[in-house]
Amino acid sequence: MLGIEWLYFLAALAAIGAFLFVVRRASEKRQLGEGPPGRQLREAARGGDADREEEAPKAGAGEAPAEKEAEREAPEGAEGPEESQRLREGLARTRGGFVAKLGRLFSKKQIGPEILDDIEEVLFSADIGPTTADKLFTAVKSSLSRDELEDPDAVWAVLKRESGRLLSFDAPPVDTSAHKPFVLLTIGVNGVGKTTTIGKLAAKWTRAGNEVLVAAGDTFRAAAVEQLEVWAERAGADIVKGKPSADPSSVIFDAIRRGADEGHDIVIADTAGRLHTRAELMDELQKVRRVAGKAQGGAPHETWLVLDATTGQNAIQQAQMFKEAMDITGIVLTKLDGTAKGGVILGICDELGVPVRYIGIGETVEDLRPFDADAFIDALFEEAPAQRAA
């Protein structure tokens, strides 16, 4: 009898294990989104056969499924009505933060110059950081007369304009074709969505017809390497990985050299997000940067810091920490759809003085969006006080 019970127990364990495996694979597929595998899309984009329109349709295709796919494959930065709506929906919780509090101040039938005190309190209690809060408050106080302070729309316009200035940089768009391979170094602490961001970028760029290679440089965390392998397979990208706890610099060096030898267009390098001390982590990242330059002159061509919007002002502190050690050229802000602390983007840009390149407003590849400062500000300050009152 004991033997039969033992067999039943083992069978139950096997069933539970199979169920968990299916759930995990379904979650991974949902994150990447629907559509053909990345390598098929890349081959379709480069080929000229009759199957091209089925696998990578262009805008204007006649059938509804093709039109839906074409929307997903629209040029990055394109901002049509549906994309604008998706952005507004993705920023709904962010609007519920300090912007909503400001909106409630202006919803009163009458306001006066004393509203300055209320604005100051909202700004300095927000997750934008004290320095940025002071800049916005000073702009309102210095640019409006006493009479204008009684006009909610005038105050709202100043806050919107100054917020837009904080996010706008005279920086050219990233040209991945300027180097072969183009080397992107991604940095950030564990848990911010760095590996997932790499996977989504790989998927986007393979769909655009690029040969992409990812370097599993976070060798201290086995789960990061495994996750990156899944993303690379789904995106149709190649991957270079080392042995557990191998020197991250050697992995990234090998990846860049392989990218050059095999004709890859883009190499995306993951890096460690946590070592025993802050100094040790920064030393490791500086070493990675030096070794990348030895593998290819001028590499890395871009260094993007990935930050988690849900951490609020902790994201600003992380930005300050990485700024001390690395030449950061761009920001990727993830998880904006899940927090009311998304206003931290103002403080991050103000602190680093570098442009935001991508924002994450959902789980799918399409929800990692090229950042458009004007569209972002329009979605954030969606309703002026007069519209709200109406």
Side-chain angles (χ1 to χ4, degrees):
M1 187 66 181
L2 183 61
I4 294 176
E5 292 177 349
W6 180 247
L7 287 175
Y8 284 155
F9 176 71
L10 290 178
L13 283 181
I16 291 171
F19 174 75
L20 292 176
F21 176 80
V22 170
V23 169
R24 179 181 177 185
R25 293 297 294 177
S27 175
E28 290 166 352
K29 292 179 180 179
R30 185 171 61 253
Q31 274 196 328
L32 191 59
E34 298 177 354
R39 186 173 296 278
Q40 293 177 359
L41 284 169
R42 185 180 69 218
E43 291 170 354
R46 289 188 169 176
D49 53 36
D51 293 333
R52 178 172 180 168
E53 290 190 31
E54 293 182 10
E55 295 185 354
K58 295 186 176 181
E63 297 180 358
E67 290 174 354
K68 184 175 180 181
E69 183 68 22
E71 283 177 9
R72 294 208 306 259
E73 299 304 321
E76 293 206 329
E79 197 68 38
E82 292 188 11
E83 292 298 309
S84 297
Q85 179 62 27
R86 183 185 294 180
L87 178 61
R88 287 194 295 272
E89 292 172 354
L91 295 180
R93 291 191 179 181
T94 292
R95 277 196 305 277
F98 83 100
V99 174
K101 293 179 181 178
L102 289 171
R104 286 193 288 271
L105 290 180
F106 301 138
S107 64
K108 302 174 183 177
K109 291 184 178 180
Q110 289 184 337
I111 64 172
E114 65 276 3
I115 200 173
L116 277 175
D117 294 335
D118 296 326
I119 294 173
E120 183 177 26
E121 181 180 350
V122 170
L123 290 176
F124 278 87
S125 62
D127 284 286
I128 61 178
T131 302
T132 305
D134 184 62
K135 286 185 179 180
L136 292 177
F137 179 68
T138 300
V140 171
K141 189 168 59 173
S142 62
S143 60
L144 296 177
S145 67
R146 185 179 181 86
D147 290 339
E148 287 173 324
L149 285 172
E150 298 180 6
D151 180 0
D153 287 324
V155 181
W156 190 262
V158 171
L159 289 169
K160 181 177 180 179
R161 182 191 70 218
E162 294 303 316
S163 296
R165 285 182 179 177
L166 290 173
L167 298 182
S168 300
F169 293 88
D170 186 18
V174 175
D175 182 8
T176 59
S177 65
H179 306 276
K180 192 175 177 71
F182 171 87
V183 179
L184 169 63
L185 189 66
T186 60
I187 60 177
V189 301
N190 289 348
V192 297
K194 180 161 49 74
T195 305
T196 300
T197 295
I198 293 171
K200 291 180 179 181
L201 287 172
K204 282 178 174 291
W205 285 332
T206 53
R207 289 178 181 184
N210 294 289
E211 293 278 355
V212 178
L213 176 68
V214 296
D218 189 358
T219 59
F220 304 107
R221 198 162 59 97
V225 178
E226 293 173 1
Q227 186 183 5
L228 203 57
E229 280 189 285
V230 172
W231 276 106
E233 179 182 356
R234 291 283 297 160
D238 295 317
I239 186 170
V240 171
K241 57 181 182 177
K243 296 179 180 179
S245 299
D247 181 7
S249 298
S250 66
V251 174
I252 293 173
F253 180 91
D254 291 344
I256 296 173
R257 292 309 310 155
R258 177 179 166 185
D261 293 342
E262 298 183 2
H264 287 83
D265 301 298
I266 299 171
V267 175
I268 313 174
D270 193 9
T271 58
R274 184 180 65 188
L275 293 176
H276 294 299
T277 67
R278 166 179 164 179
E280 195 174 36
L281 173 59
M282 296 303 124
D283 289 345
E284 181 62 45
L285 292 177
Q286 289 174 344
K287 178 183 176 183
V288 165
R289 183 178 60 185
R290 292 192 303 269
V291 170
K294 293 179 180 178
Q296 180 184 1
H301 306 110
E302 289 280 328
T303 300
W304 291 356
L305 174 62
V306 182
L307 296 168
D308 178 355
T310 65
T311 61
Q313 291 196 50
N314 283 339
I316 299 178
Q317 296 172 3
Q318 292 171 25
Q320 292 169 336
M321 177 181 73
F322 281 96
K323 180 182 178 182
E324 294 174 4
M326 300 294 287
D327 181 18
I328 300 169
T329 59
I331 298 293
V332 179
L333 190 62
T334 66
K335 309 178 189 178
L336 272 169
D337 58 312
T339 181
K341 300 178 180 180
V344 71
I345 192 172
L346 301 174
I348 293 169
C349 288
D350 192 27
E351 171 65 32
L352 289 185
V354 298
V356 176
R357 293 302 187 182
Y358 282 86
I359 56 173
I361 58 169
E363 293 186 355
T364 69
V365 171
E366 289 71 32
D367 290 326
L368 181 67
R369 301 168 53 93
F371 183 69
D372 181 327
D374 292 335
F376 183 90
I377 289 296
D378 285 343
L380 191 61
F381 291 84
E382 185 175 27
E383 292 183 354
Q387 295 173 310
R388 192 184 303 271

